[in-house]
Amino acid sequence: MSERIEDIAEAMVLPGQGILAADESTGTIKKRFDSIGVENTLENRQAYRELLFRSAEPMNERVSGVILFEETLHQKAVDGTPFVDLIRATNAVPGIKADKGAVPLPGHPGETVTEGLDGLGDRLKGWRDAGALFAKWRAVITIDDRLPSYGGIRANAHALARYAALCQQHGLVPIVEPEVQMDADPADHTIERCHEVTSTVLQVVFNELREQNVKLEGMILKPNMVVPGSKCPTQASAEEVAAHTVSVLKQHVPAAVPGVAFLSGGQGDIEATANLNAMNANYDTPWALTYSYGRALQASCLKAWGGNAHNIPAAQSAFKNRADMNGLAALGNWNEGLERA
Ligand code: 5MM
């Protein structure tokens, strides 16, 4: 693999492939394991991640990058093979979640800012030595009738840009993830409100990235799609989501950015696939449009596994199915009939 960040970024968004977000922190993977009645132990986290990374077909054909939590970056499979080596053997690029999570933002009731900049340069160096070629930092933006504030957006965008510049200084590609949440509470905002907020957020994020001299060719954007809140009475078709999302991206994302890899954000599995497909089937864009899904790639796999080693083939087959459907959607070649098949 080339050492140039531009080449690494291109390798993370190959045609018909996307990114597996397997970077659930210990607290978040507990929520996922709770939903299938599995205890959140080191061994169970290792077993689950091993079944994902040993899923030969999806990993080889549909996954061009894997975001890892720090524990997983340093973890090994049961036979002693480092997970990073398993991932590299499939030609996927290993990466690391670099942020330390969102905390309340002083002076901004109801808003958060993502922490983790202090000492980040040294941590990035260590992660690079351990095999990570990219990193990811997630900013969380919540919509309600008065939020987000400009100050809240700006604080998060500035942290994203500082993180991105540090990544590039240490030879890692930054995934820049400003997530406008669809499932926060209250979440009855319309698609138009999400359009407006996502537009402002991306404008401020790219202003800050420019001010910090981030090389746009060596980064990946991981945004939300423009969708109505999950509790909004008026939901949207895949075509509407695609139209709003592509319009906002074209307004704010420079053509120099090689790829846009969406988060799924609580969308249903098929909904996340259909929305991505509608964008790729109907629009020409200067950047690759693909997935960096956590839940929408893993939910059916987790359920099929249920913590039982006997279920690993079924779990791997569920993972392959979602990876295949999303890989086709990244090319605009998916249709609902394929789901039934
Ligand atoms: C996989 O979840 C990631 C980690 O979340 P926590 O820091 O809360 O543990 C998350 O950053 C993820 O990469 C993105 O939100 C995309 O995941 P979804 O499930 O929204 O596609």
Side-chain angles (χ1 to χ4, degrees):
M1 162 80 57
S2 159
E3 295 284 303
R4 291 176 71 240
I5 54 170
E6 297 90 326
D7 295 337
I8 298 168
E10 290 285 351
M12 289 164 62
V13 290
L14 295 175
Q17 301 198 32
I19 297 169
L20 167 65
D23 59 315
E24 297 88 353
S25 53
T26 311
T28 299
I29 198 73
K30 178 178 181 331
K31 285 189 214 154
R32 308 283 182 260
F33 281 5
D34 283 351
S35 73
I36 53 164
V38 170
E39 202 187 339
N40 186 21
T41 60
L42 185 78
E43 291 72 26
N44 285 338
R45 293 195 293 275
Q46 176 194 38
Y48 175 61
R49 265 80 186 236
E50 180 162 353
L51 88 79
L52 287 175
F53 308 150
R54 284 201 192 275
S55 299
E57 283 180 66
M59 287 296 299
N60 280 306
E61 293 163 20
R62 299 300 187 188
V63 175
S64 45
V66 183
I67 317 174
L68 302 168
F69 186 54
E70 185 168 19
E71 172 187 285
T72 323
L73 178 74
H74 300 294
Q75 209 166 29
K76 293 179 173 150
V78 169
D79 70 0
T81 312
F83 278 157
V84 167
D85 290 351
L86 279 186
I87 293 166
R88 278 204 205 108
T90 68
N91 284 325
V93 184
I96 177 83
K97 181 221 293 294
D99 66 70
K100 291 190 173 178
V103 298
L105 178 63
H108 294 78
E111 294 184 281
T112 61
V113 68
T114 302
E115 286 194 327
L117 286 173
D118 287 357
L120 180 59
D122 287 341
R123 291 201 299 285
L124 288 167
K125 197 171 167 309
W127 292 329
R128 184 74 159 77
D129 293 343
L133 292 178
F134 72 88
K136 194 209 73 169
W137 178 289
R138 172 169 166 257
V140 182
I141 308 289
T142 303
I143 297 181
D144 72 13
D145 46 4
R146 60 182 181 93
L147 298 181
S149 69
Y150 186 71
I153 294 172
R154 186 103 193 270
N156 276 289
H158 183 71
L160 274 169
R162 289 276 323 280
Y163 137 85
L166 273 165
C167 283
Q168 294 188 339
Q169 183 182 34
H170 290 279
L172 287 92
V173 170
I175 294 187
V176 172
E177 181 182 10
E179 174 177 5
V180 178
Q181 287 198 300
M182 63 178 279
D183 60 356
D185 199 18
D188 58 352
H189 55 265
T190 59
I191 194 168
E192 288 77 17
R193 177 88 174 113
C194 183
H195 184 128
E196 175 190 45
V197 171
T198 304
S199 179
T200 307
V201 167
L202 291 180
Q203 176 170 351
V204 177
V205 165
F206 278 97
N207 285 348
E208 294 281 343
L209 290 169
R210 281 194 199 90
E211 282 179 14
Q212 297 307 318
N213 297 323
V214 172
K215 192 175 205 176
L216 299 177
E217 293 84 349
M219 65 161 275
I220 301 291
L221 179 69
K222 176 166 175 168
N224 53 286
M225 295 181 193
V226 177
V227 291
S230 48
K231 293 181 194 142
C232 179
T234 313
Q235 289 298 313
S237 66
E239 288 67 32
E240 287 169 314
V241 171
H244 279 277
T245 305
V246 172
S247 153
V248 169
L249 293 175
K250 284 196 168 168
Q251 194 71 33
H252 299 293
V253 183
V257 173
V260 174
F262 293 101
L263 58 93
S264 57
Q267 296 180 48
D269 290 1
I270 297 181
E271 186 186 1
T273 304
N275 289 340
L276 178 63
N277 184 69
M279 290 181 226
N280 283 304
N282 297 312
Y283 300 92
D284 283 328
T285 59
W287 353 263
L289 286 180
T290 187
Y291 47 94
S292 174
Y293 295 161
R295 284 163 286 182
L297 273 177
Q298 295 184 56
S300 55
C301 170
L302 256 177
K303 203 168 156 200
W305 174 56
N308 185 336
H310 293 298
N311 296 335
I312 288 176
Q316 290 181 323
S317 150
F319 174 39
K320 171 177 156 43
N321 178 254
R322 285 321 324 146
D324 280 346
M325 294 298 113
N326 286 304
L328 291 171
L331 298 169
N333 289 339
W334 172 88
N335 64 65
E336 219 166 339
L338 292 166
E339 296 285 344
R340 286 191 288 276

